[in-house]
Amino acid sequence: MFKLNPYKIGFRTIKTAVAMTLGVIICKLLGLDNYASSAILVVLCIKHTKIHSVQAISSCLVSCLLILFLGSAIFNLLGQHALVLGLIVLLFIPLTVVLNVQERVITSCVILLHVFNAKAINGHLILNEIMLLAVGLGIAFAMNLMMPSLDKKLNQFKTDIEHQITDVFNVFSQACALQKEHLDIKFDALLLNIRKVKSLAFRDVKNHFIRNENSYYHYFDMREKQVELLKRVTYLLERIATHDPILKNISQLMSEISNNVKGFKVNENDKVTQIAKASALALGLKGDTCIAGGGSDGSIMNQYGIPSVVLGVGYENIHTTSERVSTKDLYMLANQLLKIIELVTE
């Protein structure tokens, strides 16, 4: 049965429509031949991230310039015939594969057909095609610089996932308190949510030319690993003896954990972060920041409005029976704490 899919006009659709219109208007005002073709260049280079846009535009430029000069040379040599057109395409496509710009073959063929239909292949034609490329690709680049922020969506996913994980711990707590043998927890929906948002976070990375990582992505990757651990906990709880006296304590523990699922994020420019970094740098350490999983007292203090960061102290095999830390690192931690006190009291 024929079915219409629901569709909402998004920001990318609006950008494409505006960019195509601008491309045609500008090229017509410049008096360029085949000015309507600028719309094709624009629409094929509007992408969903800035990095993909630059990649598309650069490969399009290389591909189009290659076909422009290759086509002009061969048409001048052999004539503007259909068989020659086929020969050029036969040579051109393998070249694009070698140069890794094969995705722009369709765009390049537009330029090739301009050369094929031209009354004369000369400097005016070459300049006309280069101007078409400059306008079309320039507008596409400008439009792709305008990308909507994904922070709102990412934060909403973050909140939803934290609520879902909180619900899991509440189920654990109730199961232990009521001595249930079967836990009805749907992990598949939670994991699907996490994978969706990881894809969104990765897309956000591609909207930055310098930054090659995303704190959200690391955060959701951490949550995905935690959910895998929760699945193992579920398996163990379903097999624990219902008369075991420790169940009451486990129930209380799970209840406490459910109240502390929410993560915290301290910005690089926050005073507490700057003090921690300054103390590390003063001792010859790197002072790098990172996203980490697991619970800490920092989570609780931040929830109560006390800005806090967690200092890395060089643990090895953390949370295992072979956990350890070197005395050298402990001394370094003590020196860092003294340095923090000095910085705060200055």
Side-chain angles (χ1 to χ4, degrees):
M1 181 178 176
F2 181 74
K3 181 181 177 182
L4 293 175
N5 293 321
Y7 184 78
K8 182 175 69 173
I9 296 177
F11 188 61
R12 184 179 174 187
T13 303
I14 295 171
K15 283 198 306 182
T16 303
V18 172
M20 289 177 66
T21 304
L22 285 175
V24 172
I25 290 173
I26 292 172
C27 288
K28 187 175 182 180
L29 289 174
L30 291 173
L32 300 179
D33 298 329
N34 303 305
Y35 60 84
S37 297
S38 63
I40 299 175
L41 296 170
V42 168
V43 74
L44 292 176
C45 290
I46 295 288
K47 299 296 179 182
H48 63 286
T49 70
K50 294 177 183 179
I51 298 297
H52 286 123
S53 167
V54 171
Q55 292 171 343
I57 290 170
S58 58
S59 61
C60 182
L61 182 62
V62 170
S63 179
C64 288
L65 288 176
L66 177 63
I67 197 65
L68 175 60
F69 291 106
L70 179 67
S72 298
I74 295 178
F75 280 137
N76 267 326
L77 184 66
L78 302 177
Q80 293 164 271
H81 303 294
L83 289 176
V84 178
L85 177 67
L87 175 64
I88 293 171
V89 172
L90 194 63
L91 295 172
F92 174 67
I93 291 178
L95 277 175
T96 62
V97 175
V98 171
L99 296 173
N100 197 29
V101 293
Q102 63 269 26
E103 291 183 2
R104 306 275 79 86
V105 167
I106 296 174
T107 316
S108 305
C109 286
V110 174
I111 302 297
L112 178 62
L113 291 174
H114 291 174
V115 179
F116 176 70
N117 290 320
K119 293 180 180 178
I121 300 175
N122 50 31
H124 172 75
L125 173 67
I126 301 295
L127 180 61
N128 183 88
E129 299 306 305
I130 291 175
M131 288 291 290
L132 279 175
L133 286 170
V135 173
L137 300 183
I139 290 175
F141 179 73
M143 286 293 175
N144 279 316
L145 288 178
M146 297 182 287
M147 292 288 178
S149 173
L150 298 175
D151 284 353
K152 186 176 179 180
K153 284 185 178 180
L154 290 168
N155 279 319
Q156 185 58 56
F157 267 108
K158 179 175 177 288
T159 301
D160 292 344
I161 288 167
E162 286 173 352
H163 285 160
Q164 287 178 280
I165 293 176
T166 297
D167 291 341
V168 171
F169 279 107
N170 283 328
V171 171
F172 286 168
S173 177
Q174 292 173 12
C176 292
L178 302 175
Q179 299 182 353
K180 291 183 179 179
E181 295 184 359
H182 177 68
L183 305 182
D184 186 20
I185 302 175
K186 307 296 183 185
F187 284 110
D188 290 343
L190 176 55
L191 286 171
L192 180 61
N193 241 2
I194 293 175
R195 284 159 190 161
K196 280 181 180 178
V197 73
K198 282 178 67 177
S199 176
L200 190 66
F202 185 74
R203 180 175 143 195
D204 189 57
V205 173
K206 295 296 182 180
N207 273 331
H208 298 83
F209 293 117
I210 298 175
R211 191 176 76 196
N212 60 359
E213 61 179 19
N214 183 287
S215 59
Y216 283 109
Y217 185 88
H218 291 297
Y219 174 81
F220 292 118
D221 188 55
M222 174 262 294
R223 288 300 189 193
E224 185 175 27
K225 292 174 182 176
Q226 289 178 345
V227 172
E228 292 298 334
L229 291 174
L230 292 177
K231 290 169 73 175
R232 291 165 59 185
V233 171
T234 303
Y235 176 85
L236 294 173
L237 287 178
E238 288 180 333
R239 282 153 184 79
I240 195 169
T242 55
H243 58 275
D244 197 319
I246 201 174
L247 278 175
K248 183 179 178 181
N249 294 332
I250 294 176
S251 176
Q252 291 175 348
L253 174 63
M254 294 301 176
S255 179
E256 288 180 19
I257 294 175
S258 71
N259 293 325
N260 294 284
V261 167
K262 186 178 180 181
F264 70 92
K265 180 180 179 182
V266 181
N267 294 322
E268 287 278 347
N269 296 326
D270 286 353
K271 186 177 180 180
V272 66
T273 311
Q274 292 300 311
I275 291 172
K277 291 181 71 173
S279 66
L281 293 171
L283 296 172
L285 304 174
K286 290 183 179 180
D288 294 334
T289 58
C290 67
I291 302 296
S296 75
D297 293 337
S299 299
I300 299 170
M301 287 187 282
N302 275 286
Q303 285 180 32
Y304 284 100
I306 305 171
S308 307
V309 294
V310 179
L311 301 177
V313 296
Y315 293 121
E316 295 179 33
N317 305 317
I318 189 169
H319 300 323
T320 68
T321 54
S322 58
E323 178 180 337
R324 64 182 183 178
V325 61
S326 70
T327 53
K328 178 183 176 182
D329 287 333
L330 281 176
Y331 279 119
M332 181 62 74
L333 174 62
N335 288 328
Q336 187 176 6
L337 291 174
L338 289 172
K339 180 57 67 175
I340 289 173
I341 293 170
E342 288 177 17
L343 292 170
V344 171
T345 55
E346 283 182 354

